[in-house]
Amino acid sequence: MPDPRRATPRTDAVLADPRLREAVARLGPGLVKQTVGLALDRCRAGEVTPDQVADLAVDSLPAVATALRRVVNATGVVVHTNLGRAPLSSAAVAALGVAAGATDVELDLTTGHRGRRGRSAVAALAAAVPDAGGVHVVNNGAAALALTACVLAQGREIIVARGELVEIGDGFRVPELLESMGARLREVGTTNRVRLADYADAISERTAFVLKVHPSNFVISGFTSSVGIGELASLPVTLVADIGSGLLSPHPRLPDEPSAASALRAGADLVTASGDKLLGGPQCGLVLGHRGLVESLRRHPFARALRVDKLTLAALEATLTGPAPPVVSSLASSPADLLERAGVIAGELSSEVEIEALASTAAVGGGGAPGVLIDSAAVAVPAHLAEPLRLDAVQPVVGHLERGRLLLDLITVAPEDDVALVEAVRRAALSSHPPGAD
Ligand SMILES: *Cc1c(COP(=O)(O)O)cnc(C)c1O
C-alpha cells in the first residue's frame, strides 16, 4: 500500500475540478476550500482514495452558503423558539427576494426624493390595526418595550403588578430590561393578587406609566385576581400593554389571548408585541397606539438603534397583506383533516416501520396562549428514530417524545411536506436499529 499522505492530491488540483469551480462562484471560496480541506484530511487518513477526494468534496458542499438547515417542525409546538419561531409565508419569502437587492425602501420613486422608510409596511400595519392612531416597527418585542421605557420612563417609575414580572426565556426578564433603560419599577400587589386600588395608591408625580404585561408563558390559578386593561385605563396615567404574542385581533381558538385591537379598544395608550409569534411574520417588534406617543418614540435617537432592515419590512408587509402565514393556517387546521393525513402517512410506512396514526395535543408555545391545548394529530414511531430523523442529511425532522414513542405532530407540518416526512422516516428506519437488536 502506498502511503496515503504521499498520494494525497494538492488543494489546487482538487479545486480545478469544474464542479468545484462552479461551487466557488456560488458559495464563495472560503466554504469550498474548507470543504476540500476536510476531504483531503480524510484522504490523508486513508479513508478515501485520491481520486475520490473531489467527489467527496462536491457531495459535502452545502446547497447554499449558510450552515442553517431547513427543518420540518413536527414538534406540535406552533411557535417554536428553537426552530426560529414563525415560519414565513411563501408571499413573505417572495417579498424577501425582491427587497434583497436595491429597493425603494426609503425613496419615493414618483418624486425621486427621500420617502418615509418602509412606508408600505407601516401602512399595511396601520390598516390591519385601525384602532391604532400610530404604528412603529422595531427589531423585536423586547426592543418595543425598551424604546417605550427609554423614551417615557427614564429616571421615572413604571407601575407593574408583581405577578406580571415575566421571564420570557433564555434568561430574558422584562423587569430587568425596563430597569436597564433607567426606569424604576414600582411593583404592586402580590404574586397572585392585585387590585385597582394597589395601582391607584402607587401613582405619584414620579409615575411614567402603568404597564400591563401578558403572562405569556405561564398561568397562575387558584386564589388570584388581576386588573384588566379596561379598569387600568380609568387611572389618570399613561397605560402601556405588552401583549407579547402579536395577535392583532381576537382569535376564536385562543379566547384568553389578548389582541392589539382589544387592548387598544379597552383603553391602552400603547401596545407592544412581537411580529414572529402569533402574527406569523418575521422577527420584529410592534408599537401601536396613541399617535403622539408613537411619534415621540419614533423620533427618539434610540429608535435608530432598534431600526428594522428592509428585509423585515418587506416580509412584515407580505405577512399582513398576503395569504395566511403558516402559524395562522396551523391554528385553523381541523383535527379530522390532520388525522386523515396521519393515517395516509402511517399507511405508506406501515410495512417498513412500527407506526400508528393517533389524535394528539399541540400547543402554541413561544410566548403565547399558555396552558391552551390544541387538538391535533400525529404519527407515533419508535423513539430511537428521533436522532436519525434530526440528523437526516436530506431533510431533518424534529418531533417530540411522549410515553416512550416519538410523535411527529402534523399541525406544524405543511401538507406539501408530508412526502419529505415519509421519506425521512423511511431513511431513518433503514439506517438505524432499535437499541439492542443486533
Ligand atoms: C415574547 C414576549 C416579549 C419579547 O418579545 P421578543 O420578540 O422575543 O423580543 C416580551 N413580552 C412578552 C409578554 C412576550 O410574550
Side-chain angles (χ1 to χ4, degrees):
M1 275 294 279
D3 181 350
R5 276 165 301 183
R6 284 175 174 251
T8 299
R10 290 181 31 209
T11 308
D12 289 354
V14 182
L15 283 170
D17 184 294
R19 294 168 302 170
L20 291 169
R21 281 221 299 267
E22 177 278 326
V24 168
R26 189 163 44 88
L27 299 169
L31 195 55
V32 178
K33 275 188 192 149
Q34 190 189 348
T35 309
V36 167
L38 292 173
L40 288 169
D41 287 346
R42 292 187 57 189
C43 182
R44 272 179 218 110
E47 292 168 19
V48 293
T49 63
D51 54 347
Q52 288 171 331
V53 169
D55 288 351
L56 174 64
V58 168
D59 289 345
S60 321
L61 282 170
V64 288
T66 172
L68 289 175
R69 305 286 310 277
R70 189 181 168 277
V71 173
V72 168
N73 173 11
T75 60
V77 177
V78 175
V79 179
H80 198 297
T81 301
N82 301 150
L83 294 177
R85 287 197 182 157
L88 294 180
S89 67
S90 49
V93 173
L96 290 178
V98 171
T103 182
D104 57 337
V105 66
E106 220 171 301
L107 180 77
D108 184 338
L109 289 174
T110 342
T111 61
H113 296 140
R114 189 175 174 286
R116 178 170 172 188
R117 184 178 171 81
R119 63 206 167 281
S120 53
V122 168
L125 183 57
V129 193
D131 294 289
V135 303
H136 182 55
V137 185
V138 290
N139 201 38
N140 58 12
L145 213 46
L147 183 61
T148 306
C150 168
V151 178
L152 303 181
Q154 230 174 77
R156 303 179 68 203
E157 284 182 4
I158 299 172
I159 302 177
V160 60
R162 283 213 166 76
E164 296 176 9
L165 299 173
V166 179
E167 174 170 323
I168 301 298
D170 197 23
F172 163 51
R173 294 176 169 170
V174 168
E176 289 176 357
L177 174 79
L178 299 170
E179 284 172 333
S180 76
M181 290 288 111
R184 278 190 309 276
L185 293 189
R186 178 79 168 79
E187 299 170 21
V188 294
T190 60
T191 308
N192 55 329
R193 286 176 76 85
V194 64
R195 295 180 199 86
L196 184 62
D198 296 323
Y199 287 94
D201 291 347
I203 292 175
S204 72
E205 71 284 353
R206 294 180 301 277
T207 304
F209 58 83
V210 165
L211 177 64
K212 174 84 185 164
V213 183
H214 176 48
S216 58
N217 52 11
F218 69 100
V219 276
I220 339 183
S221 63
F223 185 52
T224 64
S225 72
S226 63
V227 186
I229 292 172
E231 277 183 275
L232 291 175
S234 69
L235 297 169
V237 289
T238 302
L239 175 59
V240 177
D242 173 19
I243 62 166
S245 70
L247 269 190
L248 298 185
S249 43
H251 193 291
R253 242 176 156 170
L254 311 170
D256 295 331
E257 196 62 13
S259 74
S262 49
L264 290 169
R265 251 174 246 173
D269 297 297
L270 277 185
V271 168
T272 63
S274 299
D276 56 351
K277 294 179 179 173
L278 289 174
L279 181 61
Q283 179 193 301
C284 61
L286 313 178
V287 184
L288 312 158
H290 190 281
R291 188 184 185 82
L293 286 177
V294 174
E295 276 305 291
S296 67
L297 265 58
R298 190 170 80 81
R299 300 211 165 274
H300 190 276
F302 186 47
R304 176 59 182 240
L306 311 172
R307 188 174 93 158
V308 283
D309 75 331
K310 57 183 178 171
L311 300 178
T312 304
L313 289 165
L316 175 63
E317 181 181 355
T319 301
L320 292 165
T321 60
V327 165
V328 175
S329 313
S330 290
L331 288 175
S333 52
S334 101
D337 290 350
L338 296 172
L339 192 58
E340 194 182 316
R341 278 170 58 201
V344 172
I345 292 172
E348 281 182 48
L349 289 162
S350 59
S351 62
E352 296 153 82
V353 59
E354 202 184 308
I355 188 164
E356 185 197 352
L358 73 178
S360 65
T361 312
V364 169
V372 173
L373 306 175
I374 302 168
D375 289 334
S376 179
V379 290
V381 294
H384 72 268
L385 296 186
E387 186 176 290
L389 274 169
R390 261 194 342 263
L391 296 176
D392 189 81
V394 181
Q395 181 52 74
V397 176
V398 182
H400 77 287
L401 294 170
E402 199 176 290
R403 278 181 248 145
R405 290 195 293 181
L406 178 71
L407 255 56
L408 302 175
D409 199 298
L410 295 182
I411 197 165
T412 43
V413 178
E416 55 270 26
D417 283 340
D418 284 2
V419 175
L421 183 104
V422 166
E423 292 300 327
V425 172
R426 189 166 276 147
R427 282 188 298 272
L430 275 176
S431 74
S432 71
H433 303 279
D438 297 285

